Amino acid sequence: GNSQSGSGSGSGDGKAKVKLALNWVPEPEFGGFYAAREDGSFAKHNLDVEILPGGAGVPVVQMVAGGQADFGISGADEILTARARGANVVGVFAIYQRAPLAIMARGDRIQSMADVFASGTVALEPGLAYSLFLKKKYGFDKVKIVPYDGGVARFLAENDYAQQCFVTSEPIAVKKKGASPKVFLVADEGFNPYQGVVIVSQATWQSKAELVKRFVLASREGWQKYLDDPSKANGVMAKLNTAMDAETFAEAAKAQKDLISTAETAQKGLGAMTKDRWETIAKQLVELGVVEKAPNVDEAFAVL
Amino acid sequence: MRDAPSSLANSLFLRTARSAASKTLPPFVALVVFLLTWEIGVRWLGVAAYLLPPPSAILSAAKRDAINLLMGAWTTAKTALFGFALSGVLGVLAAVILSSARVIERAFYPYTVFLQTVPIVAIAPILAVWFGPGFLAVSVCAFIVSVFPVIANTVTGLRSVDPALKDLFRLYGASRWASLVKLTLPSALPNIVTGLRIAGGLSVIGTLVGELFAGFSEGAPGLGIVVQTAAKQLKTDLLFAAVFSATFLGLLLFGVVNAVGSRVLGRWHPSEKLDQSEIES
Amino acid sequence: MRDAPSSLANSLFLRTARSAASKTLPPFVALVVFLLTWEIGVRWLGVAAYLLPPPSAILSAAKRDAINLLMGAWTTAKTALFGFALSGVLGVLAAVILSSARVIERAFYPYTVFLQTVPIVAIAPILAVWFGPGFLAVSVCAFIVSVFPVIANTVTGLRSVDPALKDLFRLYGASRWASLVKLTLPSALPNIVTGLRIAGGLSVIGTLVGELFAGFSEGAPGLGIVVQTAAKQLKTDLLFAAVFSATFLGLLLFGVVNAVGSRVLGRWHPSEKLDQSEIES
Amino acid sequence: MSPRETSTEEPAAEVVCTGVRRVFLGGVVAVGGATIRIEPGEFVAFLGPSGCGKSTLLRMIAGLDRPTSGRVEVGETDPCNRSVPIAFVFQDSHLLPWRTVLDNAALPLELLGVNKSERRAIAREVLRDVELADAADRIPAELSGGMKMRVSLARALVTKPRLLLLDEPFAALDELTRNRLDDRLRTLWRERGTTMIFVTHSITEAAYLAGRAIVFSKRPARIVSDRALDLGTDRTADLRGTAEFAAAVRTLQKDLEAADA
Amino acid sequence: MSPRETSTEEPAAEVVCTGVRRVFLGGVVAVGGATIRIEPGEFVAFLGPSGCGKSTLLRMIAGLDRPTSGRVEVGETDPCNRSVPIAFVFQDSHLLPWRTVLDNAALPLELLGVNKSERRAIAREVLRDVELADAADRIPAELSGGMKMRVSLARALVTKPRLLLLDEPFAALDELTRNRLDDRLRTLWRERGTTMIFVTHSITEAAYLAGRAIVFSKRPARIVSDRALDLGTDRTADLRGTAEFAAAVRTLQKDLEAADA
Ligand SMILES: Nc1ncnc2c1ncn2[C@@H]1O[C@H](COP(=O)(O)OP(=O)(O)OP(=O)(O)O)[C@@H](O)[C@H]1O
Ligand SMILES: Nc1ncnc2c1ncn2[C@@H]1O[C@H](COP(=O)(O)OP(=O)(O)OP(=O)(O)O)[C@@H](O)[C@H]1O
Ligand SMILES: [Mg+2]
Ligand SMILES: [Mg+2]
């Protein structure tokens, strides 16, 4: 029984009630969806979207594949991995054209990503594809690798300490404490999976393509609005996420703008994806040993 | 002469007040001393506030974010309480079944350890898919984290029944049910209470962790989410305010278990007996 | 006639064998039945392998990654064992101090709940900075997670001492130390053993969690890192293989506590008494 | 003694021990082959040195322990089946510490399913008989040693068993109370005709109460003597002054001295 | 009885109770104003109905409980200070369940810091005196009721206290063993001159052992009679047959009947 979440079922006023599962709490990285909800884009497309924010560990892919949510947010690498394991989800809209994944470090010594792995301690979440990529590229033999603990306290407390980050999040937090981190995007190193990808289950995609299409259109409008003026959606999200202040919201929204809106999206619209990029990722995942053989990327994403 | 009753009432009042004071004063004094030491220690040693903020900073963060903390605490409390109740009921039940025959105990008791060692990350997807994300799934996390101490303590209690009393019940042909209700469970009560004392704290931490893995909430994010977001934003003061809110929930459960425990155990069990000195004075 | 001694030896051997079988057979049979049910159930209900893989898949993942699992288990075992030992020693010590005076108990016992409700994420940075990441910091996590049950159970045990025996020791002018060593601690042993039984599993999960916050992920990563990696890469079969390795560690500790417990409690405590039927046969 | 009023009188039970031996783990032989036949309605006293095995034998008769070899039958069935109702006053009082005296005494009735008010009324009456009416609402921890034993006695008397086993029930009582309870017990036996086995260390008590006295040897318990005590059915305080009584006491004394040797 | 050999003999203690009352929570008056003076080296028997407050009084004399009003002094100090060594045979045996009989008996010596081999040797000897030499290695759960009480007695006898309190120590023993232990106790008292207070329900035992008998009334305990028993210092089994003994027993009997009324 996988579709009991009422995907697309009509609500009182004829709108389809759907659930969008986030993989983190309300932050600018989801700003477009809140904008779509607040400014009526979802309503315009006859959607009644319930946004479900979650903790860092929520199993979004499994929930979408299992039908507990109609839409979810994930990354291209995770989507391909999930498909390789039999969790058939499809990416339909990519917020980040360039991955906001980065390494931040402190100290004069460090001028490049290579310097990060020359000595000291680096905090990386175990199992992440990009950490495998960095390992392959730079080798981890000169540094101590510790698990990313979800915070930034140690970054400030310890010298010669680098850690993974989202360019829109941790660097801003430590800057507020007076530190000046050096931030290196993983995308610049050659690993650049789409991030903030809206996913649906294969079943939903096949049976309710129309609904999915409406969702994508609404999201695109919402994101455009958010890029134009994030303040209103930020205000809404700030109420839901009290750990972050208004200033941080604004800075984060600014910091991510270039990663979302690129020359390509100017052409094809926000959220666009290309088969080339997906194939590159698939190849890289095989090289990194995350998956045994490259999944068929044609089924993994859909351009609307 | 006419003052006698009122002076009696007075002394009774004084006594009650003194007894209440003797119960609430020590933890209060301890708390104050502890917080002062912390405040001074942190300032003196120059511990960075983003590692360990002084209590004053935590307090002002708590004031600043009072509403969110309260709402978060409410979300977490509901969930933890339900998980705790599940642990209490199912834990005692499981222990009773385990103790019903040596073979069953031998066969299954060891595997209950699994409940204690399984990381939530491993089962969160199953829970989220089976129970739907949110309240129920998180409660089940709290249950899984907190049930083993109830089982282990109840099993010890059920096993420790005075063999002579067992003989007595056997002699009078008591049914299994009667023996359980009238002998074994009452004998095991002190142990069950201890199990619940432990389960109280564990159900709170189980909820905090569960919220990160199986909790979705639009309205009021639980304390677990507050802790995680505060860590990410380096709001260590808020983080500790949330941690202490969680501890406060744990303390509430602890207090409730203690109160119910000493009511039920009453005067008969030595673990609840007052000191000689307290009787005398 | 000449056969008598050998037949005696034989029957003794049979007896020992039968008793050993009666101890190991039930859990073994339970395990086999459980795994079979799981395997069949998962296939029948069509549960997705990325949610809950069948035991056969877990087994083959375990074989595939045997070396990683073994090394991870070794890292985790060392750390958990040290944390467990800390819990055992410091927990009993804390309980003894708490029970030494009613005022101390009232003042501090409630706050030990903090140890149980504090999320590792809150204190991991402090631990990592103070102790340096790795063995010691993770052990301290395991300790923090597992110490409260030891304290709570020991306190119950220390409180439950037969008042008549306390009188006896008072009468003969026993020192506090002598009363503690010769009366209170032995009386509390069944409770302490139960506390350690719970602490065993908790120290394992505490290590798994601690490794994610204050451990190393290269070199010989512990099972916590393996679990996290597997979860991130949706290698659910490997994830469960690691979880079961952790459970196995928990079971080992549980078994050791049980064995030591029944040795120490020996024949005197009813919780360790054999069934009538077992004596007879 | 005013025990529970039931409509149908159950007949007293017969007790047959055949070559009963009990060897404890570690090789302690507590009972070394006892063969006894106790007719329905007999009142038998067991006498013997401390630690000789009397309690162990009683436990086997009650079906709380099994002989290592030999057989015990009560009312022609294995006592472990609990098909014959038995009451037992243990050597120690064994009360439920969390229950009041009243509810401790009422326990056997509760286990038989008698409703609360009825069982309490009966228990209250029996407590009056053992002179504990004013302690009904206390808990065991607030009782003296002798009071606890009397609660335990009351508990055994609330039901109408077919066999009543008493293991030194009056050892902790003063002589006057003890004599009164002796008389009550004797009256009860005459009214009900229950089979009774009574362990005591008091030779005079044994002679006063029982119709038959069995003296056991030092461990392992073997029967040294088994005598009928023909002192009549009506026994009153005066009996203690008679020559027959003194003679009976003297004989038992001799037997005990033989047992102790 | 061969208790611990010490070089310096400690003098026996005097016991003075002045208007001692003990009211338990809930208003139960257990002891209702007792004034007693016991000289050093006296052997006093306490008699009284079950539940009258004897054990409570003994506990106060041992310093294990405090009078609600009035004062208790042992050797001119408050017994709660433990400045005067006292030994106590409780009404129940109260053994440490995890220790062997030998180590239970040796406990008081252990608490005094006597080394292992010495204290075990002494305990073994005392166990022989209470006829338990062969049970030295068992644990309490494997003993009969009477055996447990004898272990408890042995435990009280391993030290040389200045005051020895015995709360019905022989109630669970057969008459022969009881008589033998009576004699031993009497011998011990004569050798050591320890002050002894002995609670018993057996009037003959009280008369046989004690130099003075105090009879208490029903609860709350009040002194009904306080008599010296002038039956000589050398008391042997023959004494039991004499007319003086019978007279003493009869007097005490009367006192008890008065107490019970
Ligand atoms: N569980 C046991 N294990 C080993 N030996 C035991 C056990 N129970 C009793 N015994 C031994 O069996 C013997 C008989 O014990 P029992 O209690 O029947 O004696 P008793 O005649 O009732 O003595 P008393 O008059 O002192 O109550 C004793 O020597 C005792 O030590
Ligand atoms: N903790 C207590 N709380 C309330 N009442 C108590 C408590 N302990 C004893 N009593 C009461 O005090 C009275 C005297 O008890 P005590 O044990 O001193 O009697 P005793 O003379 O030793 O009787 P016995 O001969 O039966 O041993 C009894 O009525 C008893 O119920
Ligand atoms: Mg006996
Ligand atoms: Mg008494």
Side-chain angles (χ1 to χ4, degrees):
Chain A
N2 278 346
S3 48
Q4 77 273 41
S5 75
S7 46
S9 64
S11 70
D13 46 5
K15 289 199 188 98
K17 274 176 97 83
V18 293
K19 286 181 188 161
L20 168 63
L22 308 183
N23 55 0
W24 183 233
V25 297
E27 274 190 9
E29 55 173 305
F30 310 117
F33 302 113
Y34 284 92
R37 197 178 69 176
E38 294 309 311
D39 292 340
S41 298
F42 282 141
K44 198 177 92 190
H45 290 277
N46 240 350
L47 292 167
D48 177 5
V49 180
E50 185 186 354
I51 303 179
L52 301 171
V58 293
V60 173
V61 168
Q62 290 97 320
M63 284 174 45
V64 171
Q68 286 288 346
D70 310 284
F71 299 91
I73 305 294
S74 189
D77 49 339
E78 289 174 80
I79 294 168
L80 290 177
T81 310
R83 292 190 66 91
R85 312 274 186 254
N88 289 332
V89 290
V90 182
V92 292
F93 181 89
I95 303 166
Y96 292 106
Q97 298 295 308
R98 288 178 73 212
L101 313 168
I103 303 292
M104 69 176 182
R106 284 168 74 193
D108 300 333
R109 179 177 70 76
I110 291 165
Q111 301 301 332
S112 67
M113 187 73 101
D115 296 339
V116 169
F117 294 100
S119 75
T121 307
V122 185
L124 287 168
E125 201 169 335
L128 281 182
Y130 77 80
S131 109
L132 292 173
F133 174 82
L134 291 173
K135 181 174 181 178
K136 192 161 179 237
K137 185 162 178 187
Y138 293 105
F140 285 172
D141 38 357
K142 295 196 212 63
V143 285
K144 279 187 276 186
I145 302 294
V146 299
Y148 168 67
D149 64 11
V152 285
R154 286 169 72 187
F155 182 81
L156 290 181
E158 293 185 21
N159 294 316
D160 228 359
Y161 187 93
Q163 71 168 75
Q164 72 175 61
C165 66
F166 243 62
V167 286
T168 61
S169 175
E170 288 91 342
I172 297 171
V174 297
K175 269 185 207 152
K176 286 185 72 182
K177 297 281 172 185
S180 41
K182 301 203 168 111
V183 183
F184 307 102
L185 277 177
V186 182
D188 295 340
E189 304 295 316
F191 187 72
N192 188 20
Y194 291 114
Q195 292 295 301
V197 179
V198 175
I199 56 171
V200 294
S201 71
Q202 187 129 325
T204 306
W205 170 235
Q206 278 160 2
S207 61
K208 295 177 185 140
E210 221 289 305
L211 177 93
V212 177
K213 204 166 265 167
R214 270 158 43 209
F215 187 90
V216 167
L217 288 178
S219 299
R220 186 170 290 144
E221 287 173 25
W223 273 101
Q224 192 55 58
K225 280 179 194 144
Y226 188 73
L227 291 177
D228 294 344
D229 176 18
S231 57
K232 189 173 171 194
N234 280 351
V236 172
M237 289 189 289
K239 284 211 188 77
L240 301 171
N241 175 6
T242 50
M244 213 156 138
D245 46 52
E247 194 186 328
T248 311
F249 266 105
E251 264 178 70
K254 208 172 90 199
Q256 70 182 8
K257 223 169 164 172
D258 289 345
L259 306 176
I260 296 169
S261 154
T262 61
E264 197 174 319
T265 59
Q267 244 180 4
K268 301 184 183 168
L270 291 175
M273 294 176 284
T274 66
K275 189 174 175 186
D276 269 6
R277 287 272 302 274
W278 278 94
E279 268 173 346
T280 310
I281 313 260
K283 210 171 84 215
Q284 284 175 321
L285 287 179
V286 175
E287 282 166 13
L288 296 173
V290 177
V291 297
E292 288 72 38
K293 67 180 210 303
N296 178 4
V297 296
D298 287 326
E299 290 178 347
F301 79 105
V303 178
L304 299 161
Chain B
M1 272 303 261
R2 291 181 62 195
D3 282 333
S6 102
S7 94
L8 192 82
N10 231 330
S11 95
L12 198 74
F13 169 77
L14 275 178
R15 261 199 169 178
T16 320
R18 221 197 300 153
S19 135
S22 86
K23 269 181 202 156
T24 53
L25 210 62
F28 185 73
V29 170
L31 187 64
V32 169
V33 170
F34 173 69
L35 292 179
L36 276 179
T37 320
W38 180 353
E39 181 87 33
I40 294 166
V42 158
R43 282 161 192 271
W44 200 358
L45 298 172
V47 178
Y50 55 80
L51 270 187
L52 185 64
S56 55
I58 297 173
L59 198 71
S60 59
K63 266 197 221 143
R64 196 176 352 104
D65 280 304
I67 294 177
N68 300 307
L69 284 173
L70 277 177
M71 280 169 53
W74 176 235
T75 304
T76 301
K78 281 184 298 188
T79 322
L81 197 68
F82 187 64
F84 174 73
L86 279 182
S87 282
V89 174
L90 299 183
V92 171
L93 198 72
V96 167
I97 294 171
L98 283 176
S99 305
S100 65
R102 201 72 179 187
V103 154
I104 298 185
E105 188 183 318
R106 287 226 172 106
F108 297 107
Y109 189 20
Y111 299 117
T112 56
V113 173
F114 175 74
L115 292 168
Q116 195 72 106
T117 52
V118 64
I120 295 300
V121 62
I123 45 166
I126 310 174
L127 297 181
V129 170
W130 284 355
F131 296 108
F135 178 77
L136 202 57
V138 180
S139 289
V140 173
C141 289
F143 160 73
I144 287 173
V145 169
S146 65
V147 72
F148 183 69
V150 180
I151 297 179
N153 268 289
T154 308
V155 165
T156 301
L158 296 177
R159 274 192 199 168
S160 309
V161 179
D162 184 351
L165 295 181
K166 274 200 243 173
D167 280 347
L168 180 75
F169 274 67
R170 201 137 60 95
L171 185 83
Y172 288 113
S175 63
R176 287 201 94 140
W177 177 248
S179 298
L180 182 69
V181 171
K182 295 176 202 293
L183 173 63
T184 346
L185 281 180
S187 296
L189 259 182
N191 295 279
I192 297 178
V193 168
T194 306
L196 292 178
R197 226 172 248 148
I198 301 168
L202 281 177
S203 67
V204 172
I205 188 79
T207 304
L208 297 189
V209 174
E211 283 169 352
L212 303 182
F213 288 100
F216 280 81
S217 54
E218 164 95 293
L223 292 176
I225 302 282
V226 176
V227 164
Q228 207 181 25
T229 50
K232 201 151 208 141
Q233 293 297 327
L234 209 62
K235 292 207 169 161
T236 318
D237 47 2
L238 178 60
L239 184 153
F240 273 89
V243 167
F244 285 127
S245 307
T247 302
F248 183 72
L249 291 182
L251 275 179
L252 270 185
L253 279 180
F254 186 83
V256 169
V257 170
N258 278 353
V260 172
S262 51
R263 255 216 98 104
V264 176
L265 295 181
R267 32 180 196 164
W268 70 268
H269 194 262
S271 79
E272 293 297 331
K273 270 248 179 68
L274 297 169
D275 279 345
Q276 191 82 14
S277 59
E278 288 181 305
I279 300 176
E280 306 301 318
S281 65
Chain C
M1 272 300 260
R2 292 180 62 194
D3 282 333
S6 102
S7 94
L8 194 82
N10 230 331
S11 93
L12 199 74
F13 169 77
L14 275 177
R15 262 196 168 179
T16 320
R18 220 196 301 154
S19 135
S22 85
K23 269 181 201 157
T24 54
L25 210 62
F28 185 73
V29 170
L31 185 65
V32 168
V33 169
F34 173 69
L35 292 180
L36 275 180
T37 319
W38 179 355
E39 181 86 34
I40 296 167
V42 158
R43 282 162 192 272
W44 199 359
L45 298 172
V47 177
Y50 60 84
L51 274 184
L52 185 64
S56 55
I58 297 172
L59 198 72
S60 59
K63 267 196 221 141
R64 198 174 349 107
D65 279 304
I67 295 178
N68 287 331
L69 286 173
L70 278 177
M71 280 171 54
W74 176 235
T75 303
T76 301
K78 280 184 298 186
T79 323
L81 196 68
F82 186 64
F84 174 73
L86 279 182
S87 282
V89 174
L90 298 183
V92 171
L93 198 71
V96 166
I97 294 170
L98 284 175
S99 303
S100 64
R102 200 73 179 189
V103 156
I104 298 184
E105 187 184 318
R106 287 226 172 106
F108 297 106
Y109 189 19
Y111 300 117
T112 56
V113 173
F114 175 73
L115 293 168
Q116 194 73 103
T117 53
V118 64
I120 294 300
V121 59
I123 45 166
I126 309 173
L127 296 181
V129 170
W130 284 355
F131 297 108
F135 178 77
L136 203 55
V138 179
S139 291
V140 172
C141 289
F143 160 74
I144 287 173
V145 168
S146 64
V147 72
F148 183 69
V150 180
I151 298 179
N153 269 289
T154 309
V155 165
T156 301
L158 295 177
R159 275 192 198 168
S160 310
V161 178
D162 183 351
L165 295 180
K166 273 200 242 173
D167 280 348
L168 180 75
F169 274 67
R170 202 135 60 96
L171 185 82
Y172 288 112
S175 62
R176 288 201 94 140
W177 176 248
S179 299
L180 182 69
V181 171
K182 294 175 202 295
L183 173 64
T184 346
L185 281 181
S187 297
L189 259 181
N191 295 281
I192 297 178
V193 168
T194 306
L196 292 179
R197 226 171 247 151
I198 301 167
L202 281 176
S203 67
V204 172
I205 189 77
T207 305
L208 297 190
V209 174
E211 283 169 348
L212 294 182
F213 290 100
F216 287 114
S217 28
E218 296 285 317
L223 290 176
I225 303 285
V226 177
V227 163
Q228 180 76 358
T229 306
K232 264 268 117 66
Q233 302 182 352
L234 222 63
K235 291 188 179 165
T236 317
D237 47 1
L238 178 59
L239 171 80
F240 273 89
V243 167
F244 285 128
S245 308
T247 301
F248 183 72
L249 292 181
L251 275 179
L252 271 186
L253 278 179
F254 185 84
V256 169
V257 170
N258 278 353
V260 172
S262 50
R263 256 217 98 104
V264 176
L265 296 181
R267 30 179 198 167
W268 71 269
H269 194 264
S271 79
E272 294 296 331
K273 271 249 180 68
L274 297 169
D275 280 344
Q276 192 80 16
S277 60
E278 288 180 304
I279 300 175
E280 308 300 319
S281 65
Chain D
M1 307 249 157
S2 316
R4 189 181 165 208
E5 252 74 51
T6 42
S7 42
T8 55
E9 281 291 299
E10 289 201 78
E14 167 195 57
V15 177
V16 182
C17 302
T18 327
V20 170
R21 266 175 77 80
R22 179 67 171 95
V23 185
F24 283 105
L25 242 74
V28 177
V29 184
V31 178
T35 300
I36 309 172
R37 176 183 195 91
I38 295 171
E39 301 298 328
E42 262 195 299
F43 195 138
V44 182
F46 281 6
L47 289 157
S50 168
C52 79
K54 304 178 295 296
S55 300
T56 307
L57 185 57
L58 236 53
R59 284 176 54 80
M60 289 188 287
I61 292 173
L64 297 175
D65 193 3
R66 280 179 188 284
T68 313
S69 64
R71 276 178 57 196
V72 177
E73 272 180 37
V74 173
E76 283 167 3
T77 60
D78 181 344
C80 294
N81 298 342
R82 320 244 126 273
S83 48
V84 178
I86 300 176
F88 198 152
V89 182
F90 297 97
Q91 193 164 4
D92 295 318
S93 54
H94 296 321
L95 305 175
L96 301 184
W98 55 86
R99 287 197 171 206
T100 61
V101 164
L102 186 66
D103 287 334
N104 261 295
L107 177 72
L109 295 175
E110 192 174 336
L111 294 176
L112 285 174
V114 179
N115 72 46
K116 193 161 185 167
S117 61
E118 193 181 337
R119 68 177 186 248
R120 284 201 165 165
I122 296 169
R124 230 177 260 284
E125 218 170 315
V126 180
L127 282 177
R128 197 170 321 125
D129 287 332
V130 299
E131 307 178 4
L132 279 177
D134 57 339
D137 296 324
R138 298 211 214 147
I139 58 167
E142 299 167 353
L143 302 181
S144 79
M147 292 164 87
K148 278 185 219 160
M149 276 313 295
R150 282 182 278 155
V151 179
S152 172
L153 177 67
R155 181 175 61 195
L157 296 180
V158 289
T159 54
K160 284 195 162 175
R162 293 176 57 194
L163 170 64
L164 182 54
L165 306 172
L166 303 111
D167 198 350
E168 306 185 33
F170 304 146
L173 298 180
D174 62 289
E175 288 194 10
L176 297 173
T177 313
R178 186 175 191 150
N179 289 345
R180 280 197 295 271
L181 289 182
D182 279 347
D183 286 336
R184 293 244 157 107
L185 197 65
R186 180 89 194 161
T187 315
L188 183 83
W189 172 72
R190 279 182 48 204
E191 282 169 13
R192 291 211 210 148
T194 319
T195 312
M196 292 206 184
I197 305 178
F198 190 94
V199 175
T200 180
H201 285 309
S202 163
I203 300 170
T204 49
E205 188 175 47
Y208 184 73
L209 281 178
R212 176 178 167 198
I214 300 181
V215 177
F216 293 93
S217 71
K218 270 191 172 167
R219 182 170 69 77
R222 283 170 195 286
I223 296 171
V224 171
S225 78
D226 183 345
R227 295 178 195 280
L229 298 169
D230 300 317
L231 299 170
T233 345
D234 259 351
R235 299 190 183 179
T236 56
D238 301 337
L239 178 66
R240 290 201 173 90
T242 63
E244 296 119 287
F245 187 77
V249 168
R250 231 172 300 120
T251 326
L252 290 178
Q253 182 96 31
K254 287 254 167 58
D255 289 343
L256 265 173
E257 275 161 24
D260 197 51
Chain E
M1 307 251 158
S2 316
R4 193 183 161 208
E5 252 74 52
T6 43
S7 43
T8 56
E9 282 290 298
E10 289 201 79
E14 169 195 54
V15 178
V16 182
C17 302
T18 328
V20 170
R21 268 175 75 84
R22 178 66 171 98
V23 184
F24 283 106
L25 243 75
V28 178
V29 184
V31 178
T35 301
I36 309 171
R37 176 183 196 91
I38 295 170
E39 301 297 328
E42 264 196 295
F43 195 138
V44 183
F46 280 8
L47 289 157
S50 169
C52 79
K54 305 176 295 295
S55 300
T56 308
L57 185 56
L58 235 52
R59 284 175 54 81
M60 289 187 287
I61 293 173
L64 297 175
D65 194 3
R66 279 178 189 284
T68 313
S69 64
R71 277 177 56 198
V72 177
E73 272 180 38
V74 173
E76 283 165 3
T77 60
D78 182 343
C80 294
N81 298 342
R82 321 243 127 272
S83 49
V84 178
I86 300 176
F88 198 152
V89 181
F90 296 98
Q91 194 165 3
D92 295 318
S93 53
H94 296 322
L95 305 176
L96 301 184
W98 55 86
R99 287 197 172 205
T100 61
V101 163
L102 185 66
D103 287 334
N104 261 295
L107 177 71
L109 295 176
E110 192 174 337
L111 295 176
L112 285 174
V114 178
N115 72 47
K116 194 161 186 167
S117 60
E118 194 180 335
R119 68 178 186 246
R120 285 201 165 165
I122 296 169
R124 230 177 260 284
E125 219 170 314
V126 180
L127 282 176
R128 196 168 323 124
D129 288 332
V130 298
E131 307 178 3
L132 279 178
D134 57 339
D137 296 324
R138 298 211 213 146
I139 58 168
E142 300 166 353
L143 301 182
S144 80
M147 293 163 87
K148 279 185 218 159
M149 275 313 295
R150 283 182 279 155
V151 179
S152 172
L153 178 67
R155 181 175 61 194
L157 297 180
V158 289
T159 55
K160 285 195 161 176
R162 293 177 56 194
L163 171 64
L164 181 54
L165 306 172
L166 301 112
D167 199 349
E168 306 185 31
F170 304 146
L173 298 180
D174 61 291
E175 288 194 9
L176 296 174
T177 313
R178 186 174 190 150
N179 290 346
R180 279 197 296 271
L181 289 182
D182 279 348
D183 286 337
R184 294 243 157 108
L185 198 65
R186 180 89 195 161
T187 314
L188 182 81
W189 173 71
R190 279 181 49 204
E191 281 169 14
R192 293 211 209 148
T194 319
T195 312
M196 292 206 183
I197 305 178
F198 190 95
V199 176
T200 180
H201 286 310
S202 162
I203 301 169
T204 50
E205 188 176 47
Y208 184 73
L209 280 178
R212 178 178 167 195
I214 301 180
V215 177
F216 292 94
S217 71
K218 268 191 173 166
R219 183 170 69 78
R222 283 171 195 285
I223 296 170
V224 170
S225 77
D226 183 345
R227 293 178 197 280
L229 299 168
D230 300 319
L231 299 169
T233 344
D234 259 352
R235 299 188 184 179
T236 56
D238 301 337
L239 179 67
R240 292 199 171 91
T242 64
E244 296 119 286
F245 187 78
V249 167
R250 231 172 301 122
T251 324
L252 290 177
Q253 183 95 32
K254 287 254 167 60
D255 290 343
L256 265 172
E257 275 160 23
D260 197 49

